[in-house]
Amino acid sequence: MYKYKVVIIDDEPWILEGIFQTFAWEKYGFKVIKKLTSSIEGLDIILNEKPDVVFTDIRMPEISGIELMKLVRKEGLDTEFIIISGFDDFSYAQDALRQGAFDYHLKPIKANVAEKILGDLAKILEDKRADTLTKQFDELVEGEANIEEKLKKFGFKEESTYYQVIVAIGESASLEGDFISFPEGITPLKIKLSDNKYFYLIGTDCDIYKKIKLTIKENINVGISSLAKNLADLGKLFRQANQAAYNKFIYQKNGIYRYQEQNIEKINNIIEEIFLQVENKNYNGIEFILDSFPSVAEDNEMFINDIVYFWNQMVAHLNENLSDELQKIDLEFLEYENIIDRFEDIESLCQYLKDTFISLNQGAEIIEEGIDNKSFRAMIEYIEENYHKNLYLKDLANKFFFNHTYCCHLFKKFTDKTFSQYLTDLRMKKAKELLKDLSLSISEVANKAGYNDYYYFNKVFKKYYGITPYQHRKGIE
């Protein structure tokens, strides 16, 4: 099965055939759809067939390879061009690359060079498709206008009583095959967002929560949205399913999770009880409530958004009660994705809050301890060597013998950043460096920078630098 279409153009038939025979097209997912000796005919084919790649001679009697590339660009096609020339003239190469050619090579091309060309092309085209897909998907889930038309680009034309979204997230490097079994008669739209994340849209006449099954039981979490009658709600359904897929944070097991409405009243009662204990300076009572919270959350079938609400309400209350010095601790309002990144599970989150209350109880004493700069430097060095792994501040604090809250203070004091900000900065800078290595696909860059979800990495990178990783690599500002 091929992925990419190729057109070859050279006015000399024997060279045309030589190029065709030299490259291992199928090995890298390419298929030559046309071999042409006429550049004018080639232009028509390119505009109609929209190939991914064009291999073309630079000097031809009708239209030169450079002029052909200009005409194609003028029509708005982002086809990759490999310019092949029999003239060892640096000005030709300069002109070709200036016009946006992927590469420039002299005839004849050797087999080992051909291998490298296709390998590099395959990675660039994979990145391009991923970037295009991400843009189209974002347009789909971030707006409410023309959803039906946008869905047609993905091949979805189904009209139904209700619509429901499913998000599947793998914990390993990738998900392969059909890992969700759907009821007979349901054919979902399936979109691969990254190697380990998939989006499904289905038309249905009832909730399919209890009707789908996982064909693999380990290292996969599935979130299911509520039902909606209108496709204009697609963005909301995606966010619901995406959040639900992270409910392992609470329940500590892989499986299928359905979106639930927030349990605000129960959360507010717990927060009121905690701060009643604060007023009474009953820190044993606070510890008991926080130790119990994971079980309470599970018993009350809480949802990741309940935990987000709980965290942000606790931060708001704590910021009103903490001393000026303790406000330097890593207490900031977070979205669910930030919470998943920062804490391993709900128990880690509760432990962090317990440590914070210990600091509140002890006041400045814990902050005034002598700071072992050598130990903190060792922790920073460890982070810089292991930024690509899952790093949690609780584990780092234990490894380097710091109190969790005290560790937060050190980050603010010596880096002027929270731990989360420091780690994101480091990963983004490393990602930017890794993007210079064209032998790596952007998905591989994401993994090496500490993100196993390409879709999330793309969002973080764009928020940080203002452009997508693909745009950065291509030099598109």
Side-chain angles (χ1 to χ4, degrees):
M1 181 69 180
Y2 73 91
K3 294 181 180 178
Y4 312 114
K5 297 188 293 185
V6 179
V7 169
I8 309 174
I9 306 170
D10 196 297
D11 60 316
E12 297 182 84
W14 65 277
I15 292 180
L16 190 68
E17 189 60 28
I19 294 170
F20 177 70
Q21 296 295 337
T22 301
F23 288 81
W25 305 106
E26 290 185 6
K27 178 180 177 181
Y28 292 94
F30 292 88
K31 181 180 181 180
V32 177
I33 60 170
K34 283 289 181 180
K35 296 181 290 181
L36 304 157
T37 55
S38 166
S39 53
I40 289 179
E41 187 181 348
L43 178 61
D44 288 338
I45 292 294
I46 293 167
L47 297 182
N48 288 321
E49 297 290 334
K50 298 178 176 55
D52 299 285
V53 189
V54 172
F55 285 73
T56 180
D57 190 8
I58 197 166
R59 292 183 66 176
M60 295 180 287
E62 298 167 328
I63 305 173
S64 73
I66 299 293
E67 187 60 30
L68 178 66
M69 185 164 51
K70 287 180 182 178
L71 291 169
V72 170
R73 293 281 183 261
K74 189 176 179 181
E75 293 297 320
L77 296 186
D78 192 25
T79 304
E80 299 293 345
F81 275 80
I82 306 293
I83 303 296
I84 301 172
S85 175
F87 297 91
D88 190 5
D89 187 332
F90 184 62
S91 64
Y92 280 133
Q94 277 187 314
D95 196 17
L97 296 174
R98 189 164 50 245
Q99 296 299 326
F102 178 80
D103 216 339
Y104 180 96
H105 288 277
L106 293 175
K107 302 174 185 177
I109 296 176
K110 295 181 180 178
N112 63 324
V113 175
E115 191 90 359
K116 185 177 185 310
I117 290 172
L118 288 187
D120 290 346
L121 265 174
K123 287 187 182 294
I124 283 293
L125 292 171
E126 178 187 337
D127 291 344
K128 184 188 290 187
R129 284 196 178 177
D131 187 67
T132 300
L133 175 65
T134 300
K135 286 179 182 175
Q136 290 176 343
F137 185 77
D138 285 344
E139 288 174 2
L140 190 63
V141 298
E142 291 177 2
E144 296 181 358
N146 302 318
I147 298 296
E148 288 83 356
E149 287 300 314
K150 293 173 183 175
L151 279 169
K152 287 178 183 178
K153 293 180 182 178
F154 294 96
F156 187 86
K157 301 175 183 178
E158 185 174 342
E159 291 186 7
S160 185
T161 307
Y162 297 105
Y163 299 96
Q164 203 160 16
V165 166
I166 297 171
V167 170
I169 301 175
E171 294 177 348
S172 56
S174 64
L175 285 173
E176 299 293 343
D178 294 323
F179 37 82
I180 299 178
S181 173
F182 289 91
E184 187 176 346
I186 290 182
T187 304
L189 166 67
K190 181 180 179 182
I191 300 175
K192 181 179 179 179
L193 299 180
S194 64
D195 287 342
N196 70 331
K197 188 170 188 174
Y198 287 80
F199 164 96
Y200 297 84
L201 172 62
I202 62 166
T204 180
D205 57 3
C206 63
D207 189 346
I208 65 159
Y209 171 60
K210 293 184 178 180
K211 296 184 178 182
I212 67 168
K213 295 180 180 179
L214 294 178
T215 58
I216 57 174
K217 300 296 183 182
E218 297 179 355
N219 301 321
I220 182 171
N221 294 293
V222 173
I224 302 180
S225 73
S226 62
L227 293 168
K229 292 183 177 180
N230 198 320
L231 282 170
D233 292 323
L234 186 61
K236 181 182 76 173
L237 297 182
F238 169 64
R239 289 186 290 275
Q240 289 179 355
N242 199 48
Q243 291 163 13
Y246 287 106
N247 264 1
K248 185 189 175 184
F249 184 85
I250 302 170
Y251 298 98
Q252 298 302 295
K253 58 185 178 182
N254 300 114
I256 300 172
Y257 295 101
R258 179 169 52 179
Y259 175 80
Q260 305 280 358
E261 293 296 331
Q262 282 185 272
N263 200 336
I264 300 293
E265 184 177 353
K266 183 66 177 179
I267 297 290
N268 284 338
N269 290 339
I270 293 170
I271 292 170
E272 286 177 15
E273 182 60 30
I274 288 174
F275 283 94
L276 178 62
Q277 302 301 323
V278 171
E279 288 179 18
N280 295 329
K281 299 189 183 302
N282 181 7
Y283 288 92
N284 287 333
I286 296 169
E287 185 172 342
F288 176 79
I289 295 170
L290 289 171
D291 282 340
S292 304
F293 185 63
S295 296
V296 171
E298 187 166 349
D299 291 343
N300 286 271
E301 297 184 349
M302 288 188 185
F303 184 65
I304 190 67
N305 263 11
D306 292 313
I307 308 308
V308 174
Y309 178 76
F310 174 72
W311 169 265
N312 287 331
Q313 288 297 308
M314 291 295 292
V315 168
H317 281 75
L318 283 165
N319 281 333
E320 293 176 7
N321 289 277
L322 293 177
S323 67
D324 291 340
E325 186 66 30
L326 284 173
Q327 283 181 14
K328 294 178 180 178
I329 293 173
D330 193 358
L331 284 174
E332 55 187 336
F333 298 109
L334 300 174
E335 298 292 337
Y336 74 94
E337 289 170 323
N338 308 126
I339 284 180
I340 299 300
D341 272 349
R342 180 167 165 181
F343 300 106
E344 189 171 5
D345 51 37
I346 189 172
E347 291 180 359
S348 299
L349 182 147
C350 289
Q351 183 60 53
Y352 179 84
L353 290 172
K354 282 165 58 179
D355 290 344
T356 301
F357 278 110
I358 290 171
S359 299
L360 178 61
N361 184 29
Q362 296 178 350
E365 292 176 15
I366 195 168
I367 298 301
E368 295 302 327
E369 292 178 3
I371 294 174
D372 185 349
N373 291 332
K374 185 177 179 182
S375 296
F376 186 69
R377 283 199 301 272
M379 183 169 67
I380 292 293
E381 288 173 5
Y382 179 85
I383 292 169
E384 290 184 348
E385 291 172 3
N386 295 276
Y387 64 91
H388 57 287
K389 299 177 181 178
N390 288 333
L391 296 178
Y392 300 105
L393 190 57
K394 178 196 73 171
D395 298 334
L396 292 169
N398 290 337
K399 184 177 181 68
F400 292 92
F401 307 104
F402 290 121
N403 170 280
H404 193 166
T405 313
Y406 181 52
C407 195
C408 295
H409 169 73
L410 294 179
F411 266 97
K412 290 293 285 185
K413 184 177 179 69
F414 290 107
T415 72
D416 198 32
K417 299 171 185 173
T418 66
F419 166 70
S420 304
Q421 290 167 342
Y422 181 85
L423 184 58
T424 298
D425 284 353
L426 177 61
R427 286 173 168 171
M428 287 296 100
K429 287 170 184 173
K430 295 292 185 181
K432 193 174 182 180
E433 285 298 310
L434 288 165
L435 285 169
K436 295 177 183 177
D437 183 354
L438 298 183
S439 69
L440 297 174
S441 70
I442 294 178
S443 181
E444 290 169 332
V445 168
N447 282 318
K448 287 180 177 291
Y451 298 91
N452 63 4
D453 180 346
Y454 168 84
Y455 183 73
Y456 180 56
F457 167 71
N458 202 70
K459 284 175 62 178
V460 175
F461 192 96
K462 187 174 181 181
K463 183 177 180 180
Y464 195 88
Y465 287 113
I467 55 176
T468 67
Y470 176 76
Q471 289 172 325
H472 176 78
R473 175 170 270 181
K474 293 285 286 184
I476 304 169
E477 299 295 338

